[in-house]
Amino acid sequence: MFRRMLFSCLVMILLFAAAPIHFADASTIEFTDSVNAQFKATAERAPGTIGSRLIKQYDDFKSERKQAMDWDDRISALRYANEARTSETRKQINDIDKDHIHKLEEQLQAAKTKYQPLFNGYTALNKQITAARKLKDKSLSKLLQSQADGMKILVGLGRQDIRNKQAALTAAKKERTSKAAKIRSILSEMDPYKSKIKGDKSAISTPNKLMETEWKNFKAAVKAKESARTSDTLSCLLTLSGQILTKKKSIYQYEQKIETIITRANAQLK
């Protein structure tokens, strides 16, 4: 009967990857004083070397449960740090070259303000020249044209100065857009890892559920002091916990990959 139970357990384990459900931890597994005492009594009554094997299995399972919780803590800490850094990076993207561009905008506006009176005077002078020509006043036209020719050079220099400052501002804005696009592109490299994390979390939920069921079987076995059944359940629990640990280690590695991507993105902000 025990072998049939173990076979059924192994079948469920093999099926876990094909039936992912929402992530849930096997929180009902607690090594209470009552459970520990019942297990100790079962191990002491076990024949031959079964008792020492039971103790090793039980100690290994407790160790793996602790490792699982430790990995949860490490994963959570790294995930929260990654999320905070990502949020800060996205905020800083909006501030790329902000001061530099603001300075160029001020310089452009200052140049426009500086040269506007010159441009206005030049425009007014050309209107006077047109009026003088209509009146056929050659002397006045010649005088005004001489003044206009003198101003034309200054007007040209002023317009060129404004064009240069406008070109510098346009180039700076283009550079900012290019930098922002590059950083966002780097951050987008996180998406595949986030998908893999989501998949691993989903995959973990099934062995967790199986582990909860098998833990109930284990408690029933130690309560009845059935050493063979206890060993079978512990073997199944160890297999399940091993699968969970593998997935959690994988999730942590993906979070590390995300951390590296964020660091690369932040390097582009400097």
Side-chain angles (χ1 to χ4, degrees):
M1 185 182 77
F2 300 144
R3 297 306 164 192
R4 288 200 300 270
M5 180 185 298
L6 180 59
F7 176 76
S8 297
C9 174
L10 293 175
V11 169
M12 288 191 294
I13 291 170
L14 292 173
L15 289 174
F16 93 91
I21 55 179
H22 294 297
F23 177 76
D25 195 13
S27 56
T28 59
I29 295 177
E30 295 180 357
F31 301 98
T32 62
D33 291 341
S34 175
V35 170
N36 288 334
Q38 290 173 347
F39 171 77
K40 182 179 179 182
T42 301
E44 288 174 347
R45 290 184 55 179
T49 59
I50 295 178
S52 58
R53 186 176 71 206
L54 285 175
I55 292 171
K56 184 178 187 309
Q57 285 178 307
Y58 193 53
D59 287 344
D60 286 347
F61 180 59
K62 286 196 292 185
S63 174
E64 289 190 3
R65 289 302 298 161
K66 184 180 183 305
Q67 289 179 55
M69 289 187 286
D70 290 343
W71 278 111
D72 284 341
D73 291 340
R74 294 176 67 182
I75 289 168
S76 294
L78 185 53
R79 180 184 304 124
Y80 293 144
N82 283 344
E83 289 175 352
R85 290 182 67 204
T86 301
S87 177
E88 181 62 25
T89 300
R90 293 193 187 281
K91 272 201 316 191
Q92 289 185 37
I93 288 175
N94 297 325
D95 294 333
I96 291 176
D97 295 340
K98 182 178 179 180
D99 293 340
H100 178 57
I101 289 174
H102 181 65
K103 183 178 179 180
L104 292 176
E105 288 174 337
E106 287 184 332
Q107 290 176 351
L108 176 60
Q109 187 56 49
K112 288 180 178 180
T113 301
K114 173 185 175 181
Y115 294 116
Q116 195 57 51
L118 175 64
F119 297 157
N120 291 342
Y122 185 64
T123 299
L125 187 57
N126 278 297
K127 288 181 179 179
Q128 291 175 2
I129 293 173
T130 300
R133 286 173 179 169
K134 287 182 179 179
L135 293 173
K136 299 183 189 267
D137 189 335
K138 294 183 179 179
S139 297
L140 181 58
S141 294
K142 186 176 180 181
L143 176 63
L144 294 174
Q145 186 61 56
S146 178
Q147 293 177 359
D149 290 343
M151 290 180 69
K152 185 176 183 180
I153 297 175
L154 296 176
V155 168
L157 290 173
R159 287 174 175 167
Q160 186 60 49
D161 188 27
I162 290 173
R163 282 195 293 270
N164 290 342
K165 286 180 169 56
Q166 181 64 66
L169 176 59
T170 300
K173 287 182 176 180
K174 184 178 180 180
E175 178 67 15
R176 177 182 63 183
T177 300
S178 177
K179 286 181 180 179
K182 183 176 182 179
I183 296 170
R184 289 192 179 99
S185 176
I186 293 174
L187 290 177
S188 70
E189 294 175 19
M190 297 188 298
D191 294 341
Y193 294 113
K194 287 181 177 180
S195 295
K196 290 178 181 179
I197 288 172
K198 186 177 180 181
D200 279 352
K201 282 184 176 181
S202 179
I204 284 174
S205 61
T206 298
N208 265 329
K209 289 291 184 182
L210 295 174
M211 187 179 290
E212 289 179 5
T213 300
E214 200 57 35
W215 181 248
K216 292 177 183 177
N217 293 334
F218 166 78
K219 289 194 294 183
V222 295
K223 187 175 182 180
K225 296 182 176 57
E226 298 176 354
S227 57
R229 182 182 173 195
T230 298
S231 180
D232 286 346
T233 57
L234 282 172
S235 178
C236 189
L237 286 167
L238 281 168
T239 300
L240 291 166
S241 67
Q243 292 172 345
I244 291 170
L245 277 175
T246 297
K247 290 296 183 183
K248 289 189 176 184
K249 290 176 184 178
S250 177
I251 289 172
Y252 185 76
Q253 289 172 352
Y254 292 145
E255 289 290 351
Q256 286 181 312
K257 295 286 188 182
I258 289 173
E259 181 184 35
T260 301
I261 290 169
I262 298 169
T263 299
R264 283 175 48 221
N266 284 335
Q268 299 298 317
L269 290 167
K270 297 176 182 178

